[in-house]
Amino acid sequence: ATRGRTGSSLQHRQFTMGRMHSKGKGISRSSKPYRRSAPSWLKVSSGEVVDQITKMAKKGLTPSQIGVTLRDSHGISQVKSVTGSKILRILKAQGLNPTVPEDLYCLIKKAVAVRKHLERNRKDCDSKFRLILIESRVHRLGRYYKKAGKLAPNWKYESATASAIVQ
């Protein structure tokens, strides 16, 4: 195998695609536990976890916020290991799944915040540019979710009505 400057062989090196709108190529991330079964010290039943998830969803928490709360406050590292299904699938079964997927919702929320900032600071050219990048990601994700069937085929992002989605 050919060797790079550092001496490591290229076969074992993982090449990652760069970020869409920045120059980072980082691969740092958290790792899931190796064992897929629930820990032996966890004395919580599947039904109790489902009840907690539905209770938090009714309060208005997003699936990732629910996961963080369960991990930090209740000691449940992976909901799937306890219940057998993921948080979003549990919410879907209960009829509590969000209308707009969470990652798209967060991007729309960010776009609304930048647009609000631009109303106060019209000359902020960098924010204008960043808003274009954010909205292009919104359009791309919207296209993906329409194709995947998670959004209605007639769904369209419009900056005028975006603040109503976020509210």
Side-chain angles (χ1 to χ4, degrees), residues 55-124:
K55 208 178 288 178
M56 285 187 241
K58 285 176 182 172
K59 281 184 187 172
L61 274 80
T62 63
S64 63
Q65 288 173 327
I66 292 170
V68 167
T69 306
L70 288 173
R71 184 196 66 203
D72 295 345
S73 303
H74 303 285
I76 302 167
S77 61
Q78 293 289 309
V79 170
K80 189 178 180 189
S81 67
V82 179
T83 61
S85 57
K86 297 179 180 182
I87 294 174
L88 197 58
R89 294 199 179 145
I90 292 169
L91 293 178
K92 208 172 276 185
Q94 302 285 335
L96 294 168
N97 59 323
T99 52
V100 178
E102 190 178 353
D103 52 354
L104 182 61
Y105 175 81
C106 288
L107 276 176
I108 292 172
K109 193 173 172 183
K110 189 185 278 191
V112 167
V114 172
R115 202 167 276 283
K116 187 178 173 188
H117 167 79
L118 277 171
E119 284 174 11
R120 286 177 279 122
N121 308 290
R122 292 211 181 276
K123 289 189 176 182
D124 191 351

Side-chain angles (χ1 to χ4, degrees), residues 2 8 13-14 31 78 134 139 156:
T2 27
S8 63
R13 214 155 131 203
Q14 184 182 5
S31 57
Q78 293 289 309
I134 293 166
H139 291 302
K156 196 169 195 284

Side-chain angles (χ1 to χ4, degrees), residues 2-163:
T2 27
R3 295 187 181 273
R5 281 190 303 188
T6 56
S8 63
S9 68
L10 292 176
Q11 291 173 337
H12 303 292
R13 214 155 131 203
Q14 184 182 5
F15 289 103
T16 55
M17 187 179 285
R19 300 282 168 267
M20 195 184 304
H21 293 131
S22 62
K23 60 185 178 188
K25 290 188 181 177
I27 58 167
S28 114
R29 56 187 180 268
S30 61
S31 57
K32 287 187 178 180
Y34 179 72
R35 290 180 59 210
R36 292 207 172 105
S37 58
S40 58
W41 48 262
L42 190 65
K43 303 292 184 225
V44 182
S45 70
S46 174
E48 291 173 17
V49 174
V50 171
D51 290 341
Q52 286 177 334
I53 289 171
T54 52
K55 208 178 288 178
M56 285 187 241
K58 285 176 182 172
K59 281 184 187 172
L61 274 80
T62 63
S64 63
Q65 288 173 327
I66 292 170
V68 167
T69 306
L70 288 173
R71 184 196 66 203
D72 295 345
S73 303
H74 303 285
I76 302 167
S77 61
Q78 293 289 309
V79 170
K80 189 178 180 189
S81 67
V82 179
T83 61
S85 57
K86 297 179 180 182
I87 294 174
L88 197 58
R89 294 199 179 145
I90 292 169
L91 293 178
K92 208 172 276 185
Q94 302 285 335
L96 294 168
N97 59 323
T99 52
V100 178
E102 190 178 353
D103 52 354
L104 182 61
Y105 175 81
C106 288
L107 276 176
I108 292 172
K109 193 173 172 183
K110 189 185 278 191
V112 167
V114 172
R115 202 167 276 283
K116 187 178 173 188
H117 167 79
L118 277 171
E119 284 174 11
R120 286 177 279 122
N121 308 290
R122 292 211 181 276
K123 289 189 176 182
D124 191 351
C125 293
D126 187 56
S127 289
K128 284 179 191 173
F129 176 70
R130 297 292 162 203
L131 179 65
I132 292 167
L133 296 183
I134 293 166
E135 287 185 338
S136 69
R137 277 182 293 208
V138 168
H139 291 302
R140 182 180 289 206
L141 257 183
R143 217 171 31 241
Y144 166 75
Y145 281 127
K146 279 195 266 187
K147 197 179 287 183
K150 295 203 182 352
L151 281 177
N154 61 350
W155 187 89
K156 196 169 195 284
Y157 171 77
E158 290 167 354
S159 57
T161 58
S163 57

